[in-house]
Amino acid sequence: MRILVDCAGAQMGGAKRLLNEFDRYLRECRSAQLLVIGRDRALTAPWLLRREVTTGRFDRAVALNNVSHLIAGDERHVLVHGAQHFLRLDEARAFGRRIKPSVHAQAPVVRTALRRADLIFVPSSSMAERVVHLVPSVRDRIVVAFNPVTPPDATEGGGQGSARDRDDHDSPSTTILCPILFSPYKRMADHLRIALDALDLLAGRPHDVEAVLAVTEAADHPEARPLAGHPRLRFIGQQPPAAIMSMIARSSAVYFPSEFESFGYPLAEGRVMGVPVIAADSPHNREIAGAALMPYQREEPDEVAIAMINALTAEVKPYRSGLFDRGPYFDRLLGLRSG
């Protein structure tokens, strides 16, 4: 069996995490002839045209980047993880200019190509609902499969130890990691201000907990600049996926206030490594984070502070059921196994 796989566009964030997992899978896979294209390429209109005329016949064409193949492959699978391409009307109005015009331009292409796919993989139930709401004709072709997550090796500290001993021993305070890349639609400056107010509450009585929020963004980012220099905030710059995984494993908790995700790798990474995740109490976050979720009902300093205390005192067991295993995931995505 010959399978064509397009991975163009996987340059940062969750897409890059997924590609890293795929590369690990490729080192183990021996059951099919795979031609992987698009590595280190941007997902552009010229590229989408070029990939359709790849030399040779393929039994299956798989796209890891939201846009299904149109003619390549006797059968077509696509992984759809761009929630911004499936905005409901009320969301589009609420986000306004915080969503790039290019994303609005891409959305019709993504949705049209979707109709050419035989199987459409999505990483959460909420993403499945989005797709079906806007493209109801593909309802019977959707497969919900959580993105794979491979924890760091035990020798790297992955998921080992309790909240009391995860942090570096020379750290002067507890570290809560916020592993989110800034984007206008995420309103990270607003989220961080609320988190900092919550940390101020933790520092007072009766908690007397000194905690620092470490954020994986540069201090000179336009949204970060007004907050830089706050004593409870550290901007540590963008980090590669492997470094983020290691940081999560060593942190006392993860802070993940993002409200608009198709998956949210930190939710799953916290669950797999047994690190509490502080996030809103939503069906999506409960599905992905499971027992690792330390929720707040309203994003207000007092409620976020309670969620933080719960996270810092919780003992969450690493999740090892196989739900996030890469082998079965990519076998299904590539059509090498069913179910």
Side-chain angles (χ1 to χ4, degrees):
M1 174 176 287
R2 299 191 70 218
I3 302 175
L4 175 69
V5 183
D6 179 24
C7 62
Q11 298 171 342
M12 62 177 61
K16 179 60 174 173
R17 281 174 164 88
L18 183 78
L19 182 57
N20 288 350
E21 292 285 353
F22 184 53
D23 284 339
R24 295 187 185 102
Y25 172 82
L26 289 178
R27 291 194 289 268
E28 304 163 353
C29 179
R30 297 289 184 271
S31 57
Q33 297 180 48
L34 299 177
L35 175 61
V36 181
I37 61 175
R39 192 178 299 278
D40 299 323
R41 286 188 173 273
L43 191 64
T44 61
W47 172 254
L48 292 177
L49 292 173
R50 179 179 171 182
R51 74 178 188 178
E52 296 294 335
V53 293
T54 301
T55 302
R57 173 188 168 275
F58 291 89
D59 300 282
R60 190 167 296 119
V62 181
L64 304 183
N65 46 28
N66 297 305
V67 188
S68 172
H69 290 83
L70 299 178
I71 59 175
D74 296 339
E75 182 180 322
R76 289 173 287 276
H77 294 183
V78 62
L79 172 60
V80 178
H81 49 76
Q84 294 180 64
H85 294 133
F86 295 89
L87 289 170
R88 294 185 289 269
L89 185 58
D90 60 321
E91 292 174 327
R93 288 172 176 166
F95 282 122
R97 295 182 180 180
R98 288 186 285 130
I99 299 292
K100 295 179 180 178
S102 59
V103 173
H104 290 301
Q106 294 162 2
V109 177
V110 171
R111 297 176 197 171
T112 299
L114 205 63
R115 296 181 175 91
R116 295 287 295 165
D118 295 285
L119 283 180
I120 300 158
F121 288 78
V122 293
S124 65
S125 297
S126 65
M127 190 62 194
E129 292 167 3
R130 286 187 175 282
V131 173
V132 170
H133 178 75
L134 289 168
V135 194
S137 63
V138 303
R139 179 187 300 272
D140 295 336
R141 288 177 263 162
I142 290 181
V143 177
V144 177
F146 291 170
N147 286 357
V149 177
T150 303
D153 186 85
T155 59
E156 300 175 16
Q160 304 298 313
S162 67
R164 292 183 299 276
D165 59 21
R166 283 194 196 105
D167 290 306
D168 294 335
H169 294 295
D170 58 355
S171 176
S173 58
T174 298
T175 299
I176 298 174
L177 183 69
C178 180
I180 300 180
L181 294 177
F182 283 22
S183 185
Y185 75 89
K186 294 182 181 179
R187 299 187 303 108
M188 283 305 299
D190 295 336
H191 294 308
L192 291 180
R193 287 189 181 96
I194 292 172
L196 292 172
D197 288 344
L199 290 176
D200 286 340
L201 293 176
L202 260 60
R205 293 187 179 279
H207 306 299
D208 296 321
V209 173
E210 286 291 337
V212 170
L213 192 63
V215 183
T216 56
E217 186 54 86
D220 61 356
H221 187 283
E223 287 189 73
R225 204 174 297 128
L227 300 172
H230 192 289
R232 304 191 196 283
L233 186 62
R234 287 206 317 267
F235 287 106
I236 58 178
Q238 296 186 13
Q239 305 289 326
I244 289 177
M245 291 281 280
S246 182
M247 290 176 186
I248 289 176
R250 298 197 310 270
S251 297
S252 290
V254 171
Y255 173 59
F256 193 74
S258 182
E259 303 165 307
F260 187 67
E261 297 285 340
S262 64
F263 183 62
Y265 258 99
L267 296 168
E269 289 164 343
R271 181 176 183 178
V272 168
M273 291 187 278
V275 180
V277 181
I278 303 156
D281 189 7
S282 69
H284 175 88
N285 290 349
R286 289 195 297 271
E287 178 181 41
I288 306 302
L293 182 65
M294 301 293 141
Y296 50 82
Q297 296 292 330
R298 297 174 299 171
E299 193 179 14
E300 297 179 357
D302 56 342
E303 294 205 16
V304 174
I306 292 172
M308 287 178 171
I309 281 294
N310 289 339
L312 297 177
T313 57
E315 293 290 342
V316 179
K317 294 182 179 179
Y319 187 81
R320 296 287 192 266
S321 79
L323 192 62
F324 298 95
D325 287 357
R326 66 174 176 268
Y329 174 85
F330 286 112
D331 282 349
R332 292 180 70 192
L333 184 61
L334 297 174
L336 301 178
R337 61 170 282 190
S338 60

